[in-house]
Amino acid sequence: MNSQFGLMNVWTQGDFVTRAVALLLIGMSLVSWIVILTKTLDVLKHKKIARSAEDFWHSEDFAAGLARLGNDPANPFRQLAIEGREATAHHRNTRAHLHDTLDVSDWVTRSLRNTIDEFTSRLQSGLAILASVGSTAPFIGLFGTVWGIYHALLAIGTAGQATIDKVAGPIGESLIMTALGLVVAIPAVLGYNALVRGNKGVLHKLNRFAHDLHAYFVTGARVSSGGAANVVTMKKA
């Protein structure tokens, strides 16, 4: 690209508004990439955990299965197993509480659902930033373009002539702001969509694991995989 239309030329010739818009877009881009990289690593980690969670059901007993899930307190599958065990024990060993009006199935369902909701909230944290950047960055860049063109027209009016050599530079520099806005917005949108798909896959496996835990704590056996009619579905609390 010719240096006449470079971003550095925009910075050196622009006023404080142009520079503020450029800094804002660069900051939004940095934040977006930080969120994308951080959440991508989280999704990959949870997918790996989900693949190994099936080993839980190949254990001799619950304690051995819990050991197979590891000791990481951030493991959502381990959290579900512990929460289900504690909810079952709490319902069995306590009396004269409000939750006694619920049967054990409803009580375990509610406990597992609360754990899933908390994990979902953590998993989706940061996505709002990507959505905001993706939707606002093009308009911020467009504002920088309009502002630059306005000042270019003022300069042309002051000079009294509008030759191509006087118009091309200022207009080209202004259009760079639109391009910068798109450069910031496109990765944010693509990253948001990819992370949403990844999160849905993790949550699907987590819900399926919760269904099996629900059946285990209520009936003493895992959900049968032989047909959909045998599946115990989670009910929202």
Side-chain angles (χ1 to χ4, degrees), residues 4-206:
Q4 182 183 8
F5 305 107
L7 186 59
M8 290 301 300
N9 210 35
V10 174
W11 181 264
T12 55
Q13 295 188 6
D15 58 4
F16 75 97
V17 175
T18 303
R19 295 176 181 177
V21 170
L23 286 176
L24 179 59
L25 289 173
I26 293 173
M28 292 169 69
S29 179
L30 290 175
V31 172
S32 296
W33 280 109
I34 290 174
V35 172
I36 290 172
L37 294 177
T38 302
K39 303 304 293 185
T40 298
L41 292 176
D42 286 343
V43 170
L44 294 177
K45 180 183 73 173
H46 289 125
K47 283 186 175 181
K48 182 179 179 180
I49 292 174
R51 287 193 296 268
S52 63
E54 186 65 22
D55 294 338
F56 175 87
W57 300 109
H58 299 288
S59 306
E60 295 78 12
D61 53 29
F62 183 84
L66 200 60
R68 288 195 177 191
L69 292 177
N71 298 319
D72 185 5
N75 184 339
F77 295 88
R78 177 181 173 84
Q79 290 177 345
L80 272 179
I82 293 176
E83 184 64 27
R85 180 187 63 184
E86 293 179 351
T88 304
H90 185 69
H91 189 279
R92 183 185 303 118
N93 298 328
T94 58
R95 296 293 182 271
H97 288 84
L98 181 61
H99 68 71
D100 289 328
T101 59
L102 299 174
D103 59 26
V104 63
S105 176
D106 291 336
W107 180 245
V108 171
T109 296
R110 178 169 182 167
S111 299
L112 295 177
R113 176 55 57 190
N114 288 340
T115 302
I116 292 177
D117 288 344
E118 291 175 3
F119 174 73
T120 302
S121 178
R122 295 196 305 270
L123 193 65
Q124 295 179 345
S125 63
L127 295 186
I129 295 177
L130 296 181
S132 299
V133 171
S135 60
T136 59
F139 297 101
I140 294 176
L142 183 60
F143 171 76
T145 297
V146 172
W147 185 266
I149 291 176
Y150 169 71
H151 281 277
L153 293 175
L154 288 181
I156 293 171
T158 302
Q161 55 182 349
T163 59
I164 189 64
D165 60 319
K166 292 185 177 296
V167 174
I171 299 300
E173 294 161 7
S174 300
L175 293 176
I176 288 177
M177 301 302 292
T178 298
L180 183 59
L182 295 176
V183 168
V184 174
I186 291 173
V189 173
L190 295 179
Y192 175 85
N193 292 334
L195 289 172
V196 168
R197 288 194 300 270
N199 289 348
K200 285 183 178 180
V202 173
L203 291 174
H204 173 72
K205 294 181 182 297
L206 191 64

